[in-house]
Amino acid sequence: MPMLADYLAQASHDRAVRCLVLTGAGRAFCAGGDVKGMAAGRGELPGANGGASTSSPAAGFAAGVEVLRRSQRATSLVLHTMPKPTIAMVNGHAVGAGLSLALACDMRIASDRARLGTIFRNVGFSGDYGGSFFLQRLVGAGKARELYFTGAIVEADEALRLGMVNRVVEHDKLEAETLAFAERIASGPTLAFGRMKENLNRGENCDLATLLDQEAMNMRLSATTNDHREAAKSFVEKRTPSFSGN
C-alpha cells in the first residue's frame, strides 16, 4: 500500500491537516486482497516475492516478511499513532486488511450498508495490519476470536452493538455526516488531541503508575500551548474558543 503510506506520512506531518478521514474510492471501503491473483499464483501478499529476484527461497521469504512489516508500520501504525484524530468512513464492505485499517483509526462511522469481517480464514491466512490487536480491544477477546475463527460478516447495526464502529448513518448521508463530524474535531485543540491520543495508546499497554507519569507530562505540555490560553480566555469571556493548533 505504498500510495496510502505516502498520503498518511504527508498528513501526519502537515500542520494544516487537523483530522484525517480514510474511506474507499468505490462501493467498498476495502474488499481485501486479490483472491483471483492468489489462485493464479501471482503473489498472495504485498512483497510476497520480496520485490526482486533473490538467491534462495529463505531469502525471498525474509524479504517478503520485511516488505509486509514496512507496509503495516507505514499504514496501520501511523493511523493509530499519528498526533491527530483519524476517522474511517466505512462506505461499504471492510474486510480482511481493509477491516484492520478501519480498526486502526481512532473512530469509525459506517454506512447502514457497510459489512465488516476479518475473512482471513476463508483464504487460509492468519491476519495482518493489526486487526488482531485492535479488534479484541474493541469487542473483547472471546468475540474477536470468534470473528477471526469463523470469518463471519457483521452487518452495520451489529457492528455498532459490538463496538466495532462508533456510529451508523444512512448511506446517502454518510459523507456529509462524517465530514461534519471531522470538521467539528478539526476545529478543536489539535495539540491536546495528539497528547490525548498518546495517553490513550499508552494506557492500552502499561500499568497505571506509568500512565499517570505520561498524563502528568502531557498535561503540563498542554498548559504551554496557545490553544490552552485561548480556551481559558474564551471561557472567561463567555465565547466559543477559536483553536489554532498551536
Side-chain angles (χ1 to χ4, degrees):
M1 302 182 183
M3 187 175 295
L4 175 59
D6 291 342
Y7 284 134
L8 293 179
Q10 180 181 349
S12 181
H13 296 98
D14 187 345
R15 290 177 61 84
V17 177
R18 300 179 61 172
C19 180
L20 183 142
V21 177
L22 179 68
T23 193
R27 292 180 299 172
F29 179 83
C30 180
D34 178 8
V35 179
K36 291 182 179 178
M38 297 174 199
R42 293 196 297 269
E44 65 276 15
L45 290 171
N49 300 314
S53 61
T54 51
S55 58
S56 71
F61 178 83
V65 169
E66 183 56 28
V67 169
L68 182 54
R69 283 176 173 167
R70 287 199 301 267
S71 179
Q72 292 180 134
R73 290 169 185 158
T75 53
S76 292
L77 184 62
V78 172
L79 284 166
H80 188 59
T81 61
M82 73 165 62
K84 54 193 71 178
T86 56
I87 301 170
M89 182 168 73
V90 186
N91 55 313
H93 278 74
V95 297
L99 174 61
S100 297
L101 289 170
L103 298 177
C105 294
D106 296 314
M107 294 163 284
R108 286 148 296 283
I109 300 178
S111 157
D112 55 8
R113 300 180 190 174
R115 304 292 183 268
L116 295 80
T118 63
I119 74 162
F120 292 109
R121 55 93 65 201
N122 296 348
V123 288
F125 281 159
S126 54
D128 55 7
Y129 287 89
S132 45
F133 177 90
F134 302 119
L135 186 59
Q136 60 185 326
R137 284 163 171 77
L138 291 171
V139 305
K143 191 64 180 181
R145 282 161 171 73
E146 177 186 333
L147 292 173
Y148 264 87
F149 295 157
T150 64
I153 297 295
V154 178
E155 305 283 326
D157 288 344
E158 177 68 1
L160 179 63
R161 188 187 70 81
L162 290 173
M164 294 174 71
V165 300
N166 297 79
R167 302 180 181 191
V168 173
V169 301
E170 292 180 26
H171 183 78
D172 292 341
K173 298 179 180 178
L174 177 65
E175 182 174 353
E177 294 200 20
T178 301
L179 294 182
F181 181 73
E183 288 174 7
R184 175 184 169 192
I185 298 296
S187 68
T190 314
L191 294 178
F193 286 161
R195 294 186 177 111
M196 287 177 194
K197 187 166 176 175
E198 186 179 18
N199 291 343
L200 292 164
N201 288 346
R202 179 68 67 88
E204 292 177 331
N205 300 295
C206 74
D207 59 82
L208 177 58
T210 300
L211 179 60
L212 291 173
D213 290 345
Q214 179 73 42
E215 286 186 334
M217 175 67 74
N218 280 334
M219 192 69 168
R220 288 303 183 186
L221 287 171
S222 297
T224 69
T225 64
N226 291 335
D227 278 349
H228 164 66
R229 287 187 282 273
E230 162 63 9
K233 185 178 179 181
S234 66
F235 178 82
V236 173
E237 296 174 353
K238 295 182 172 55
R239 60 176 175 81
T240 301
S242 177
F243 293 117
S244 63
N246 297 303

